[in-house]
Amino acid sequence: MTLRALVVYKLSLPSGEYIVTFQLCKNSPVPFSKQFGIFDPTLGQYALPAKTSSLLTSLAFAGKLIGTIIIGPCTERYGHKFGMLLVCIFTIIGTIIECTSKKAAQFLVGRIIVYIGVGIVENVVPTYQSEIVPAPARGFVVGSLQMFLVCGALVASGVNRRYSEFVISSGWIIPVAIQLVAPVLILLGLYFIPPSPRWLLYKGRRDEAIAVLENVRPKRDVAAGLCVEEANAIEESIREEAKLRKSGTNEKLGWIDLFKGPNLRRTTIATLVFAFQQLTGQGFSSQYGTVFYIREGLGSMAFTYSLINTAISVPVCFLGMVLLEYFGRRPVLIGGAFFQSLWLYIMAGIGGQSGKLPKANINMMVASVMLFNFSFSASWAPLASEVGTGALREKTMAFSSVINVICAFAVSFTLPYLLNPPYANLQAKVGYIYGSIAAVAMIYAIFFVPEMRGRSLEELDELFEHKPSIPAWKFRSTKTTGIGAKVAALEGSGRKNLDNFVNESEIVPEDGMKNDEDIY
């Protein structure tokens, strides 16, 4: 993250390929390039060889992949707090290794370790939030992770700009060392973070689960004994889940179960949504936006435009959190993919014209990139982690995150070849590729992504387990009357029906039935 604003341009010279650091202060060598690069007499300055830059990018993905793979089983066995502790440990150790680096190899090791923490945090936090937050607020709260990630990117961009003119080692050490702030703050507050009540119930620690629920639910619910009722309902749902899979225990399921029965549908939805998050072109905007602006002749404003692009994401991610709860997942994903495709096509259409572009056209192209980022941040960026069943939630998140990392690497690896000569040299016309993928994502969301707004996690289990399968577009208007509906009522989605709730064992498709608005 810290290096994104530093390493921005690639040159092919007789002496080799080099990554040239964009400088605001002419003739001032950037200390990072001086520390880890080599001096090229042709350029008259220090530069990172392409091999080093490539490793800085690719090995970061390798670290993130390791983090996503190891955290699922760790969370199942030791809980979410243990995962948060691992995040802090990996980030602190990795950052110290980076800051004390004298050679590029040591910095690469530190970067891998830091990104193991990134892979962990992007798994453990959403699953924890989805399990502890009541259904009516789940989409909003789970989406907050993306907003804080964007806030971190904004801070990094601002710090990079502030230190881009420094000619001493602190010019790169201070931006890297800022990574220590977050894990230290988390460590200070980790003692006060309660375990997931659902994880505790899977472990048979009922009294602790009730204590957690009484700590995070409203006082009136505690006084009315609703926390005990909620724990009872979740326990009953766990027993029903074990009964369905013909198991006598409440233990979590294995990796192969991700692809069995109704779980295959859930795994597919989570995986493809996470894949589309990367394949619709957000890497182009976030990772190569600065390079793109420079190649379009906007070098003097490249950093400023990238900073604006990142700054836009913060309030827009908050807007996305609100939209997910107000309108629901399906319309936000469908609308977001439509507008992403639209802005990318406009950018490609304008940038693909021959000859020198008028200033108005260049401004419109820049605006299209920013509007694409707006559409992405408000829709596909704040993804929820609620699709997987309780016995597979950590593994579903881990598997889909692995696919997300692989897709992110594929985009990052291929983009330079798509953008630059002497390869495809598509430049702005790369928007046709990502715009088309965004259009496919919109179609997929229409036909396959169900609405999960306001549903308890146990309610989603009932909906996905129903035979025959309920089409994605009928999820919202399907009435649930089993234990999942009771959990939803206890969490607040159907509070007015709680007193006269009847615990039935079936769910009724929409045909001839009332819609959600009439039930809840």
Side-chain angles (χ1 to χ4, degrees):
M1 178 174 68
T2 305
L3 299 179
R4 182 178 298 163
L6 292 176
V7 179
V8 298
Y9 202 75
K10 180 176 178 180
L11 289 179
S12 295
L13 298 170
S15 54
E17 278 192 331
Y18 295 92
I19 301 298
V20 181
T21 309
F22 183 80
Q23 300 178 62
L24 298 178
C25 182
K26 191 174 182 180
N27 298 325
S28 296
V30 175
F32 187 86
S33 296
K34 187 175 181 180
Q35 179 72 51
F36 301 111
I38 59 176
F39 184 81
D40 183 72
T42 308
L43 295 172
Q45 64 181 7
Y46 286 88
L48 293 179
K51 180 180 179 180
T52 302
S53 178
S54 177
L55 289 172
L56 284 170
T57 301
S58 59
L59 291 182
F61 286 111
K64 190 174 180 180
L65 188 64
I66 293 170
T68 59
I69 292 173
I70 66 173
I71 189 55
C74 286
T75 303
E76 289 181 356
R77 186 175 181 85
Y78 302 109
H80 300 83
K81 288 183 67 172
F82 179 75
M84 297 175 196
L85 177 63
L86 287 180
V87 170
C88 299
I89 293 173
F90 279 112
T91 305
I92 290 173
I93 292 175
T95 303
I96 292 173
I97 292 174
E98 287 179 332
C99 292
T100 57
S101 297
K102 302 299 181 183
K103 300 292 183 181
Q106 181 181 338
F107 191 90
L108 288 170
V109 171
R111 187 164 167 82
I112 292 171
I113 294 173
V114 167
Y115 267 81
I116 291 175
V118 173
I120 292 173
V121 76
E122 291 185 3
N123 279 263
V124 71
V125 172
T127 53
Y128 174 76
Q129 290 174 323
S130 66
E131 291 194 356
I132 201 166
V133 175
R138 191 172 61 243
F140 180 86
V141 173
V142 173
S144 66
L145 173 63
Q146 182 65 29
M147 188 183 73
F148 284 111
L149 290 174
V150 171
C151 287
L154 179 61
V155 171
S157 296
V159 171
N160 286 336
R161 185 175 179 84
R162 169 67 179 82
Y163 286 93
S164 62
E165 298 182 32
F166 274 50
V167 296
I168 56 178
S169 295
S170 60
W172 71 267
I173 293 176
I174 292 176
V176 172
I178 286 177
Q179 295 177 110
L180 289 170
V181 174
V184 170
L185 291 177
I186 293 172
L187 280 176
L188 293 175
L190 193 59
Y191 174 80
F192 304 99
I193 297 176
S196 161
R198 285 177 169 84
W199 178 81
L200 290 170
L201 288 170
Y202 265 102
K203 294 296 182 180
R205 295 157 62 177
R206 171 184 165 82
D207 292 341
E208 293 177 62
I210 293 173
V212 170
L213 289 171
E214 290 178 342
N215 189 42
V216 299
R217 297 293 187 256
K219 298 292 184 183
R220 64 179 184 277
D221 290 1
V222 177
L226 297 185
C227 294
V228 176
E229 287 293 318
E230 184 177 350
N232 291 341
I234 295 173
E235 272 191 317
E236 186 175 344
S237 176
I238 293 173
R239 287 194 295 269
E240 287 185 1
E241 187 180 28
K243 184 178 179 181
L244 281 173
R245 64 176 189 255
K246 299 178 181 180
S247 170
T249 68
N250 296 336
E251 292 297 316
K252 298 279 186 172
L253 295 175
W255 289 99
I256 195 67
D257 292 292
L258 287 171
F259 311 102
K260 290 182 178 179
N263 294 325
L264 175 60
R265 181 185 182 187
R266 304 174 83 154
T267 302
T268 303
I269 292 170
T271 300
L272 287 180
V273 169
F274 270 63
F276 281 129
Q277 187 189 39
Q278 297 296 335
L279 297 177
T280 52
Q282 72 88 18
F284 163 73
S285 173
S286 62
Q287 297 177 37
Y288 290 92
T290 305
V291 177
F292 174 72
Y293 294 136
I294 292 173
R295 292 196 63 84
E296 293 298 328
L298 301 169
S300 62
M301 294 294 293
F303 270 102
T304 301
Y305 285 148
S306 294
L307 193 58
I308 292 172
N309 208 28
T310 305
I312 287 173
S313 300
V314 177
V316 173
C317 278
F318 182 81
L319 174 64
M321 293 159 57
V322 176
L323 292 177
L324 281 174
E325 280 306 325
Y326 189 80
F327 292 105
R329 282 52 158 175
R330 273 174 57 82
V332 170
L333 291 179
I334 293 168
F338 170 80
F339 282 108
Q340 286 178 67
S341 181
L342 174 66
W343 302 127
L344 287 169
Y345 279 141
I346 290 175
M347 179 196 75
I350 295 174
Q353 299 175 27
S354 59
K356 185 175 176 60
L357 295 177
K359 185 174 178 58
N361 286 19
I362 293 177
N363 290 339
M364 182 60 197
M365 191 164 56
V366 173
S368 296
V369 175
M370 293 185 180
L371 287 169
F372 161 79
N373 189 55
F374 182 104
S375 302
F376 171 79
S377 298
S379 56
W380 288 75
L383 294 176
S385 56
E386 54 201 352
V387 181
T389 186
L392 284 169
R393 187 163 296 116
E394 294 82 6
K395 289 187 175 71
T396 303
M397 187 70 181
F399 179 80
S400 57
S401 295
V402 166
I403 302 302
N404 180 279
V405 173
I406 293 172
C407 290
F409 172 76
V411 170
S412 179
F413 180 81
T414 58
L415 256 175
Y417 296 97
L418 293 174
L419 288 174
N420 303 320
Y423 307 106
N425 195 27
L426 294 176
Q427 298 185 41
K429 287 185 285 187
V430 76
Y432 287 129
I433 296 176
Y434 294 121
S436 298
I437 296 175
V440 173
M442 178 186 70
I443 295 171
Y444 180 79
I446 291 173
F447 290 103
F448 296 103
V449 178
E451 182 54 69
M452 292 171 276
R453 179 176 70 93
R455 302 285 194 179
S456 70
L457 298 177
E458 291 71 25
E459 212 172 359
L460 292 175
D461 288 340
E462 294 184 38
L463 290 166
F464 278 109
E465 293 284 346
H466 186 265
K467 295 181 180 179
S469 297
I470 302 171
W473 56 89
K474 290 187 177 182
F475 260 56
R476 181 171 184 174
S477 56
T478 299
K479 176 184 178 182
T480 61
T481 56
I483 193 64
K486 184 175 182 179
V487 175
L490 289 163
E491 290 183 344
S493 292
R495 184 60 55 83
K496 65 182 181 182
N497 294 324
L498 185 59
D499 293 338
N500 56 2
F501 183 86
V502 178
N503 183 17
E504 300 174 3
S505 59
E506 60 179 3
I507 57 178
V508 188
E510 66 174 344
D511 299 337
M513 299 302 297
K514 297 180 181 179
N515 289 332
D516 279 346
E517 288 77 11
D518 300 318
I519 299 166
Y520 297 129

